[in-house]
């Protein structure tokens, strides 16, 4: 994998969990070994829903067969949009868990600063994870050189999903490769009877995907990393250029009525494409693959596929946005042995291949890559060959990310140059007090 040296910038910020405290675990001097007896209750904080939750349950069942003396109790966090608030509420409310699922590097730092996580460097050695998972993924899950997160799946966030029959009906013989080609497909798709070529889920966070990819393609990973760390202001010309390209897409007739965009989350917009046949393109993460397979019962590569974000010819077309889901273990969990064994199981061939069969990628070298479908092959090849930057919204402090997304909603309502300046100025004002 080619990765930027600024792949995950250090974020210095005040923690929202200061004073939460933790219970020291003196017993951690003798770390869990794979052969140790593992038993008792394992408490997992889980905010994953839908068909992804069903996949999670399947892999948990595989773990329980290997460790029959363990029972899993899930603390389920439900909600819409960014789930960090719900997780904070549960932990600060006194919920004690052994393992939690995380996808936000900034949140991992927040929890670590509050003393709520224990490092897993010893487990990397004792379980041999360093022989199964590359150093780049270990670095991704580390804070100041100490490993905390074990990535269990990763995703291409620069892939655009589409239904093959839609392009064929519009006379489009192949997915567009350049920005101009992409914009030119809008009129063809509209003439073919589709309500809006691009599905923009603007209710919570997914409308930011377009800006973040445009920032990468117009300014590169270094600029995106600097913005995430607030080493450049949101009013920087490079940031404005990216938002102006977003405005160009809106002006080209991509997306239909703004109130429709602001009313829908990503799953509803996915339904508009893959069930209602009303829209055509969706820029969203690899969990879409799981939904297409399991909820829509579509065939990957035959009924649907994805293509990489169009090239803009500005010197940064070798970039991709990526995300990852990781497991974190807590400093006050009652069953660290079971927690460590649970993480270890996810690096196994059994768990890795179950992930693949459900449309996800695994970082484990135990995975059988022959099981990847067409869309996942495209995505994993793109990740392997690109300069990578982690999803910008997941790197921002929790109070800033809310303002960022609200301001982008205001941009969707008025993508004029004057309002672009206003929107970026408002984000910058918030950023100045957030680090």
């Amino acid at each position: 994998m080619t990765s930027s040296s600024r792949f995950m910038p250090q974020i210095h910020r005040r923690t929202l969990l200061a004073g939460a405290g933790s219970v020291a675990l003196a017993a951690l001097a003798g770390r869990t070994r794979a052969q140790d007896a593992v038993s008792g209750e394992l408490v997992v904080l889980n905010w994953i829903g839908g068909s992804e939750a069903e996949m999670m349950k399947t892999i948990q069942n595989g773990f329980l067969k290997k460790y029959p003396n363990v029972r899993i109790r899930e603390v389920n966090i439900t909600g819409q949009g960014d789930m960090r608030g719900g997780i904070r509420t549960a932990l600060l409310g006194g919920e004690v868990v052994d393992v939690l699922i995380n996808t936000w590097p900034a949140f991992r730092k927040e929890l670590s600063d509050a003393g709520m996580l224990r490092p897993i460097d010893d487990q990397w050695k004792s379980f041999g994870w360093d022989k199964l998972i590359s150093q780049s993924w270990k670095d991704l899950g580390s804070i100041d050189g100490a490993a905390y997160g074990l990535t269990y799946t990763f995703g291409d966030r620069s892939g655009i999903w589409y239904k093959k029959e839609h392009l064929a009906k519009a006379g489009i013989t192949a997915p567009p490769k350049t920005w101009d080609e992409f914009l030119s497909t809008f009129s063809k798709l509209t003439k073919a009877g589709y309500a809006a070529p691009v599905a923009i889920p603007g209710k919570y966070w997914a409308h930011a995907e377009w800006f973040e990819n445009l920032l990468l393609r117009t300014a590169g990973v270094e600029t995106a990393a600097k913005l995430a760390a607030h080493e450049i202001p949101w009013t920087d010309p490079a940031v404005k250029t990216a938002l102006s390209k977003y405005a160009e897409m809106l002006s080209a007739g991509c997306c239909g009525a703004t109130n429709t965009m602001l009313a829908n989350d990503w799953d509803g917009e996915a339904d508009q494409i893959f069930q209602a046949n009303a829209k055509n393109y969706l820029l969203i993460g690899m969990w879409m693959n799981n939904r297409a397979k399991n909820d829509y019962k579509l065939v990957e590569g035959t009924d649907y596929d994805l293509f990489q974000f169009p090239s803009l010819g500005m010197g940064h077309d070798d970039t991709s946005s990526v995300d990852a889901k990781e497991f974190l273990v807590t400093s006050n969990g009652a069953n660290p042995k079971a927690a460590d064994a649970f993480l270890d199981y996810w690096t196994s061939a059994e768990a890795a291949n179950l992930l693949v069969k459900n449309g996800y990628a695994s970082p484990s070298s135990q995975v059988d890559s022959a099981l990847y479908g067409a869309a996942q092959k495209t995505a994993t090849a793109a990740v392997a060959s690109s300069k990578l930057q982690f999803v910008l919204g997941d790197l921002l402090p929790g109070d800033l990310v809310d303002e960022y997304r609200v301001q982008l909603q205001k941009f969707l309502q008025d993508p004029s140059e004057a309002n672009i300046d206003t929107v970026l100025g408002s984000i910058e004002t918030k950023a100045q007090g957030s680090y």
Side-chain angles (χ1 to χ4, degrees):
M1 180 193 310
T2 303
S3 62
S4 164
S5 61
R6 301 294 294 272
F7 184 83
M8 190 185 73
Q10 180 65 43
I11 296 179
H12 302 284
R13 60 177 304 244
R14 52 186 170 79
T15 178
L16 295 179
L17 291 170
S22 64
V23 176
L25 293 174
L28 291 180
R31 300 292 186 178
T32 302
R33 298 298 187 270
Q35 67 270 25
D36 286 348
V38 178
S39 63
E41 182 179 73
L42 175 68
V43 185
V44 179
L45 191 152
N46 185 14
W47 47 270
I48 303 297
S51 54
E52 188 174 0
E54 294 174 9
M55 176 273 294
M56 181 73 64
K57 189 70 68 176
T58 298
I59 299 181
Q60 286 181 359
N61 288 337
F63 167 77
L64 293 174
K65 287 180 181 179
K66 185 174 182 180
Y67 297 98
N69 294 323
V70 175
R71 61 188 182 279
I72 292 177
R73 177 171 68 86
E74 283 196 338
V75 176
N76 291 301
I77 305 298
T78 60
Q80 293 181 309
D82 193 316
M83 295 301 295
R84 281 176 277 189
I87 297 171
R88 285 191 195 97
T89 299
L91 296 177
L92 289 172
E95 198 69 66
V96 177
V97 303
D98 298 294
V99 176
L100 62 89
I101 301 167
N102 181 56
T103 192
W104 310 274
F107 193 45
R108 184 202 316 123
K109 180 70 163 59
E110 182 181 327
L111 294 171
S112 173
D113 286 348
M116 302 187 77
L117 304 179
R118 59 181 171 90
I120 53 174
D121 292 284
D122 288 351
Q123 288 85 336
W124 273 88
K125 296 176 183 177
S126 63
F127 284 106
W129 296 341
D130 53 348
K131 296 180 178 63
L132 300 176
I133 298 176
S134 71
Q135 182 67 35
S136 59
W137 290 116
K138 184 178 181 182
D139 292 343
L140 176 64
S142 297
I143 301 171
D144 296 332
Y148 284 90
L150 179 71
T151 298
Y152 69 86
T153 191
F154 65 92
D156 173 22
R157 291 287 280 270
S158 294
I160 298 175
W161 299 91
Y162 70 101
K163 203 169 181 179
K164 285 195 165 186
E165 67 180 47
H166 293 180
L167 269 60
K169 181 180 177 181
I172 302 168
T173 57
K177 293 183 178 180
T178 70
W179 185 248
D180 288 341
E181 288 176 358
F182 179 61
L183 298 184
S184 72
T185 65
F186 296 171
S187 60
K188 296 176 183 178
L189 290 163
T190 302
K191 288 178 182 177
Y194 299 105
V198 180
I200 299 283
K203 189 174 183 179
Y204 296 111
W205 55 269
H207 55 299
E209 302 283 298
W210 289 93
F211 164 72
E212 294 182 13
N213 275 278
L214 284 166
L215 181 65
L216 288 178
R217 292 300 171 100
T218 58
V221 295
E222 292 292 332
T223 298
K226 288 179 181 178
L227 183 63
H230 203 220
E231 294 174 7
I232 60 172
W234 284 83
T235 51
D236 189 276
V239 184
K240 182 174 180 178
T241 295
L243 206 52
S244 296
K245 281 292 182 182
Y246 199 164
E248 184 179 311
M249 186 177 81
L250 294 168
S251 299
C254 66
C255 306
T258 305
N259 60 349
T260 300
M261 289 187 264
L262 297 179
N264 289 303
D265 201 1
W266 75 270
D267 49 356
E269 289 298 272
D271 291 348
Q272 286 296 300
I273 295 173
F274 297 102
Q275 287 186 318
N277 294 307
K279 299 182 182 181
N280 311 110
Y281 300 127
L282 179 63
L283 176 62
I284 207 70
M286 295 305 297
W287 58 86
M288 183 64 241
N289 206 23
N290 180 272
R291 186 176 182 86
K293 287 172 177 285
N294 294 292
D295 292 3
Y296 304 142
K297 308 302 181 185
L298 298 176
V299 178
E300 181 180 357
T302 299
D303 298 323
Y304 71 97
D305 211 332
L306 91 167
F307 60 92
Q308 281 304 104
F309 200 89
S311 61
L312 274 80
M314 298 177 68
H316 303 289
D317 291 324
D318 58 345
T319 57
S320 288
S321 177
V322 295
D323 65 3
K325 285 191 174 74
E326 64 184 8
F327 292 115
L328 303 172
V329 290
T330 62
S331 58
N332 65 341
N335 200 343
K337 279 190 177 183
D340 293 345
F342 182 73
L343 268 59
D344 181 55
Y345 178 74
W346 282 78
T347 70
S348 70
E350 183 174 88
N353 291 333
L354 282 170
L355 274 167
V356 172
K357 290 174 182 177
N358 281 276
Y360 295 92
S362 169
S364 174
S365 62
Q366 298 269 61
V367 71
D368 181 0
S369 58
L371 296 174
Y372 284 137
Q376 192 59 263
K377 284 180 180 177
T378 298
T380 53
V383 169
S385 62
S386 296
K387 294 176 181 177
L388 304 176
Q389 177 62 27
F390 210 84
V391 175
L392 177 62
D394 292 349
L395 292 171
L396 299 179
D399 44 358
L400 175 59
V401 74
D402 293 338
E403 182 70 16
Y404 159 65
R405 291 165 177 164
V406 168
Q407 290 300 326
L408 287 186
Q409 289 171 331
K410 293 180 179 179
F411 159 78
L412 291 177
Q413 296 172 40
D414 176 12
S416 67
E417 183 174 357
N419 196 45
I420 288 175
D421 290 335
T422 300
V423 161
L424 294 179
S426 296
I427 302 173
E428 174 57 24
T429 297
K430 186 68 174 182
Q432 289 175 6
S434 296
Y435 289 81

